[in-house]
Amino acid sequence: MPARHLPVRTVDYHTGGEPFRIVVSEMPATVGSTVLERRTLAPGGPLDPIRALLCNEPRGHADMYGCFLVPANDNGARTGVLFWHKDGFSTACGHGTIALGVYAVDAGWVAAPEHGEVDVVLDVPSGRVTARVRREAGCTVSVAFRNVPSFVVARGIRVATSRGEITVDASFGGAIYGSARAADLGLSVAPQHLHELVQVGREIKAALLQCDDVRHPTDDRLSDVYGTIWFDELEPGAAGAVRQRNCTVFADGEVDRSPCGSGTSARLALLHATGQLQVGQTLEHFSIVGSRFLGSVVGVNDDGAVLTEIEGIAHRTGEHSFTLDPLDVLGLGFQLR
């Protein structure tokens, strides 16, 4: 990695327990006229070794997540965002969008009120999203982001796994996910079942990648199956809120500690399509570590795609200045799993 890009400065947050590392140093220029084009061309490009440096041990870990800030598609957004993880670059990241809403206020990108709300518009690979930051007594108390339209891709897909056959539904919430009920394989969304959830989640993703029906209908650059969402159904909450617990296994076996923002949108599309959740009704979505997002369908497009809003909060965990000793034989680092 060229020395002129060192040190790499970051501001780190967690959203519901899931890390998000925002690179604030000036980075190499990216190729492409839109954020989606930049994401498509990013693997093997000048940002890739910096991603590896920040994700790999000893500076990161197998479940690290973060972003580079890149030019927006046009003047309608504050910035463009390239989301990354240990295996590459993703098309969407809801927990990161929430963290960027908090960071926008912390960094002074927007004039934040003492009391009230302010919008932060972002261009991400899947489209344009808006993070609405709510403030009380000078503190940021929540961020609700309006996602790109979400929709069902395919339902009732039978997948053979090492624990038996299971029915999977696929839906899009900025990325494509397969949803599976954990109880159908004798599992639950609980830490003691995490090994099995990861193993079978990878099997389901691999199977969906071979399924011709699981594709984005208009843009094949968004057709990658991002991961598997395991869910448990819980007792209804106050005012009839739908309550579920989920564990999202994404990329190559990474585990989302948060309830997964884009995954929540994908779940909302399925719940609305099956009549389990109406427009305006709330989904209380819990993660495997107990953190919570609130999701709702706020509208329906003419083509049946739903407009979703996901609410959560992020907290700053630190600021870092990463470097690379030219004599370090481990170089950009390693992945132990």
Side-chain angles (χ1 to χ4, degrees):
M1 192 174 71
R4 67 180 180 276
H5 300 313
L6 295 169
V8 179
R9 293 182 298 107
T10 71
V11 179
D12 286 27
Y13 289 80
H14 83 84
T15 308
E18 179 70 0
F20 194 70
R21 179 166 283 171
I22 303 169
V23 178
V24 296
S25 296
E26 184 176 349
M27 289 287 100
T30 53
V31 178
S33 59
T34 67
V35 178
L36 180 56
E37 288 180 4
R38 292 185 176 95
R39 183 259 172 182
T40 304
L41 298 170
L47 292 178
D48 217 10
I50 303 172
R51 175 198 61 78
L53 180 83
L54 299 176
C55 277
N56 290 344
E57 297 183 52
R59 298 167 189 84
H61 52 78
D63 296 285
M64 178 52 69
Y65 214 112
C67 78
F68 297 115
L69 304 176
V70 298
N73 294 343
D74 57 47
N75 293 332
R78 176 60 182 76
T79 187
V81 187
L82 283 184
F83 299 115
W84 46 256
H85 47 75
K86 75 175 179 67
D87 298 305
F89 297 84
S90 55
T91 59
C93 178
H95 89 273
T97 300
I98 291 171
L100 283 163
V102 177
Y103 176 72
V105 171
D106 291 348
W109 283 1
V110 296
E114 288 290 301
H115 302 273
E117 299 177 335
V118 62
D119 285 353
V120 181
V121 182
L122 306 169
D123 281 335
V124 305
S126 57
R128 179 161 289 176
V129 299
T130 299
R132 178 157 295 169
V133 182
R134 184 163 65 87
R135 308 261 294 166
E136 293 180 3
C139 296
T140 299
V141 296
S142 70
V143 177
F145 75 92
R146 185 70 60 89
N147 202 3
V148 298
S150 302
F151 50 86
V152 175
V153 175
R155 292 177 58 192
I157 306 164
R158 297 297 294 173
V159 175
T161 78
S162 57
R163 290 184 64 97
E165 195 172 65
I166 189 170
T167 299
V168 179
D169 297 325
S171 55
F172 178 84
I176 295 176
Y177 296 89
S179 284
R181 183 181 290 103
D184 288 352
L185 291 182
L187 301 171
S188 64
V189 177
Q192 61 266 34
H193 290 158
L194 184 59
H195 176 78
E196 293 86 353
L197 295 173
V198 172
Q199 176 185 328
V200 184
R202 284 168 133 171
E203 295 173 13
I204 290 172
K205 174 180 174 176
L208 294 182
L209 283 169
Q210 302 303 315
C211 182
D212 291 338
D213 292 335
V214 183
R215 311 292 299 176
H216 191 279
T218 61
D219 194 331
D220 208 46
R221 294 172 296 179
L222 299 174
S223 285
D224 289 343
V225 177
Y226 192 36
T228 301
I229 302 175
W230 293 105
F231 67 92
D232 289 342
E233 294 169 325
L234 307 176
E235 291 295 322
V242 177
R243 300 171 76 243
Q244 295 190 344
R245 182 185 300 112
N246 88 90
C247 175
T248 300
V249 180
F250 66 95
D252 185 17
E254 293 193 46
V255 176
D256 198 331
R257 275 72 171 161
S258 83
C260 188
S262 56
T264 297
S265 287
R267 291 293 303 146
L268 288 167
L270 285 167
L271 290 168
H272 182 266
T274 58
Q276 295 172 264
L277 186 137
Q278 306 302 316
V279 173
Q281 191 175 2
T282 298
L283 167 66
E284 288 189 72
H285 218 198
F286 297 90
S287 76
I288 195 168
V289 301
S291 53
R292 184 183 75 156
F293 288 166
L294 298 178
S296 61
V297 175
V298 296
V300 182
N301 285 347
D302 291 342
D303 61 1
V306 296
L307 304 176
T308 63
E309 192 167 275
I310 315 301
E311 181 179 348
I313 187 61
H315 301 280
R316 187 182 293 219
T317 59
E319 300 181 24
H320 301 87
S321 181
F322 293 100
T323 190
L324 176 59
D325 186 336
L327 300 180
D328 187 347
V329 296
L330 293 179
L332 297 177
F334 57 90
Q335 296 179 17
L336 198 56
R337 75 157 177 83

